[in-house]
Amino acid sequence: MPKKDDDRSTPPPPLPAPLAVAVADSHTHLDMQSGTPEEGLAKAASVGVATVVQVGCDVPGSRWAADLAARFEQVHAAVALHPNEAPRIFLGDPDGWSGQRREPGGQAALDAALAEIDALAALPQVRAVGETGLDYFRTGPEGVEIQKESFRRHIAMAKRHGKALVIHDRDAHEDVIAVLLEEGAPERTVFHCYSGDAEMAKVCAEHGWYLSFAGPVTFKANQPLRDALAVTPLDRILVETDAPFLTPHPYRGRPNAPYLIPVTVRSMADTLGLSEDALATAIAENTARAFGY
C-alpha cells in the first residue's frame, strides 16, 4: 500500500470493455474503496476480473480480509503487518498515519500483533502472508531494523504455513533482496506493485519470483518499468490494482478498483507484443499457481 494519492471525491472511471479471458486482481484493498465489497466484486466480474486477492496491512485489516475470503469464493486473503505498520506498533503512531494514534508498544506489542497474524495465516482462505517487506520512503532510519525483523518473521510465517509471500518494496530494492536471500524466500514469492528496473527483474526471474504490475506500468514516464516487464518471463507475470491507489492511465488521480484491471492488461499486452487473450490466459494461470488456488 503506497502513499494515498487517489481522490475519491472525483467520479469513478467508466467500465472498460470486458476481457474475453477472466483474470485475477492479485492485490487490492476493498476495505479502502467506496461502495460495498459485493458491489466491487460484481463490477469486477462484469469485465472479466473473476478473482481478487484482498490484502491486509495491519491486524484489523487482516482480520477483515480473512473474514471476506471466508464469505466469497472469488476472494482470497493475504494477511500481514505492512512494513510501515511494524515500526509504528513498536515506536508509536503520533501522527495517526494508520488511523490509529498509538503510544509506543515496544517489542511486546509487536510480538502480540505478529502472533495474531500468524494465527490468521493458518486459515485455509488465507493464501498469502503479505504485504510485508521494507519501505524506506515513509519510515525513517529509526524504524529500519524493526522493519527487517518484521519482514524476517513474516518470511518464516509464510514458509511455516506453506503460503505465498507478498512483498512491499519501496525505495529498498537491494535490502529486500538481501533479506530474502539470507532467510531463504518461500517457494512462491510475489513482488507486489513491482517498481524495480530490468536488471532487478532478471534477478527476480533467476529465483523464480513473481512480479505483479500495477497502474504505474501504464504511465508515459515509466519506460524503465515497461522494460522490466519486457524481460520478465511470461510465466512469472501478474497484474494488480492496489486499489484504491495507482489508477492506470488515462484515469490517474481518480479512484481505482478491481474493475479497471483490463486497462492495465491491455497496456501490458501492447508492451509485450501479445494479444490481450494470450496475456490474460498467462496471468490467470500464474496467479492461481502463485497463490495456490
Side-chain angles (χ1 to χ4, degrees), residues 8-261:
R8 279 173 274 181
S9 66
T10 60
L15 284 170
L19 294 167
V21 177
V23 299
D25 181 349
S26 74
H27 192 113
T28 196
H29 303 283
L30 288 165
D31 50 331
M32 302 180 192
Q33 297 165 38
S34 61
T36 66
E38 290 86 348
E39 291 166 342
L41 292 169
K43 284 182 75 173
S46 76
V47 296
V49 183
T51 308
V52 305
V53 179
Q54 168 64 27
V55 180
C57 293
D58 56 16
V59 169
S62 294
R63 287 191 203 120
W64 194 91
D67 289 346
L68 190 74
R71 289 170 51 207
F72 294 97
E73 185 178 1
Q74 67 269 45
V75 178
H76 304 295
V79 299
L81 303 181
H82 188 280
N84 292 321
E85 174 71 357
R88 288 170 184 270
I89 290 172
F90 195 110
L91 299 172
D93 192 12
D95 60 4
W97 173 83
S98 66
Q100 307 170 59
R101 292 187 181 275
R102 293 166 294 191
E103 295 299 316
Q107 189 68 47
L110 181 60
D111 289 346
L114 286 167
E116 186 149 3
I117 297 298
D118 187 53
L120 291 169
L123 298 173
Q125 72 271 28
V126 173
R127 299 289 183 166
V129 172
E131 55 188 287
T132 182
L134 300 173
D135 187 324
Y136 295 165
F137 175 81
R138 187 173 296 278
T139 295
E142 71 283 358
V144 168
E145 290 307 314
I146 300 168
Q147 283 196 1
K148 287 183 176 179
E149 178 194 348
S150 179
F151 186 19
R152 290 187 174 99
R153 291 173 68 175
H154 281 86
I155 292 170
M157 206 182 296
K159 291 193 288 190
R160 183 162 59 250
H161 295 293
K163 304 295 172 79
L165 182 75
V166 175
I167 291 175
H168 172 106
D169 164 24
R170 191 169 190 186
D171 296 348
H173 302 324
E174 291 183 3
D175 284 0
V176 165
I177 290 175
V179 172
L180 282 173
L181 296 181
E182 287 166 8
E183 299 298 319
E187 180 181 353
R188 293 172 289 125
T189 293
V190 177
F191 275 73
H192 129 71
C193 189
Y194 181 76
S195 59
D197 61 13
E199 288 307 308
M200 179 175 162
K202 292 175 184 177
V203 171
C204 292
E206 289 172 4
H207 295 286
W209 300 334
Y210 294 86
L211 303 185
S212 183
F213 293 87
V217 78
T218 71
F219 300 165
K220 185 176 180 180
N222 281 352
Q223 185 59 44
L225 195 51
R226 288 185 287 279
D227 293 342
L229 170 62
V231 301
T232 302
L234 184 59
D235 67 354
R236 288 297 180 268
I237 294 173
L238 307 181
V239 69
E240 67 175 85
T241 56
D242 198 23
F245 314 101
L246 303 180
T247 312
H249 176 79
Y251 307 113
R252 189 175 184 182
R254 295 167 71 176
N256 201 5
Y259 75 85
L260 290 172
I261 280 284

Side-chain angles (χ1 to χ4, degrees), residues 264-276 279:
T264 304
V265 169
R266 290 179 175 122
S267 174
M268 292 167 63
D270 286 346
T271 295
L272 294 170
L274 295 173
S275 71
E276 67 180 67
L279 180 57

